[in-house]
């Protein structure tokens, strides 16, 4: 009787777990669902890396290492570079790169729904910035190399300070600027995928 009860509880627990996993899967955007379907055994690792990345980036934001800007600034660049570098270590270059691309496809869908990412509606220039910083993050990890996290953080901060990453041009008040240095009104940015924001090297100061 005890064995039958144990088997029932085991099957019931597995059924609940399966339903939970399916529910989480269905909450993903189309591009990310496709990625998970193609990389089922790497999805769990990628989720852990994403949580780790957000935690590390939030810690960096609270220091004076970078500019403290998580939306188009150096902390934003750090987050994407760290995410890709850690993904490459855990799931390989190709899977990491394709997940980054799926994320940007998701951002375009978010824009179409006027959803928010880091407090603002995603746009084309933000996507270009992310893809550039993703590639720079991938470059930091040689094939098969397990760079310690402390060294990885230092490498990314140094790359940002040397201008290898990209950020969106802003003034000292956090207002977006065109490449000519003109302040871009918030009204002119609303509902537009393409706008006149400007990408600049990550060591350019407001």
């Amino acid at each position: 009787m005890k064995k039958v009860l144990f088997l029932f509880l085991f099957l019931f627990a597995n059924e609940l777990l399966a339903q939970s996993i399916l529910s989480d899967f269905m909450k993903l955007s189309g591009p990310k669902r496709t990625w998970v379907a193609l990389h089922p055994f790497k999805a769990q690792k990628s989720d852990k890396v994403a949580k780790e990345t957000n935690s590390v980036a939030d810690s960096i934001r609270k220091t004076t290492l970078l500019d403290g800007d998580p939306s188009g600034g150096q902390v934003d660049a750090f987050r994407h570079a760290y995410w890709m570098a850690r993904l490459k270590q855990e799931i390989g270059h190709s899977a990491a790169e394709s997940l980054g691309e799926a994320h940007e496809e998701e951002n375009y869908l978010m824009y179409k729904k006027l959803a928010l990412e880091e407090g603002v509606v995603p746009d084309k220039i933000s996507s270009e910035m992310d893809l550039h910083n993703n590639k720079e993050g991938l470059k930091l990890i040689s094939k098969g190399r397990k760079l310690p996290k402390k060294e990885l953080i230092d490498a990314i901060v140094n790359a940002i300070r040397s201008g290898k990453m990209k950020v969106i041009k802003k003034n000292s008040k956090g207002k977006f600027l065109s490449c000519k240095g003109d302040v871009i009104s918030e009204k002119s940015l609303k509902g537009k995928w393409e706008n006149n924001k400007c990408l600049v090297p990550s060591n350019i100061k407001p």
Side-chain angles (χ1 to χ4, degrees), residues 186-202:
E186 292 182 12
K187 185 178 180 180
S188 70
L189 295 174
K190 289 183 178 179
K192 292 184 179 179
W193 177 249
E194 295 189 35
N195 53 55
N196 57 341
K197 290 180 185 178
C198 185
L199 276 187
V200 294
S202 54

Side-chain angles (χ1 to χ4, degrees), residues 134-146:
N134 285 355
K135 290 181 180 179
E136 291 301 316
L138 290 170
K139 289 179 184 178
L140 293 172
I141 302 298
S142 302
K143 187 175 181 180
R145 186 184 181 194
K146 287 290 183 181

Side-chain angles (χ1 to χ4, degrees), residues 73-82 129 133 160 165-167:
Q74 290 180 336
V75 175
D76 194 347
F78 175 93
R79 186 177 69 253
H80 277 269
Y82 184 91
M129 171 186 163
N133 294 330
I160 290 171
M165 307 286 181
K166 295 289 185 182
V167 296

Side-chain angles (χ1 to χ4, degrees), residues 61-101:
R61 181 178 63 82
K62 296 173 183 176
T63 71
T64 57
L65 285 172
L66 300 174
D67 63 5
D69 184 357
S71 182
Q74 290 180 336
V75 175
D76 194 347
F78 175 93
R79 186 177 69 253
H80 277 269
Y82 184 91
W83 182 43
M84 282 294 113
R86 287 290 293 120
L87 281 176
K88 183 174 179 177
Q89 287 180 322
E90 295 296 329
I91 64 175
H93 184 109
S94 179
E97 186 174 42
S98 62
L99 179 54
E101 292 169 351

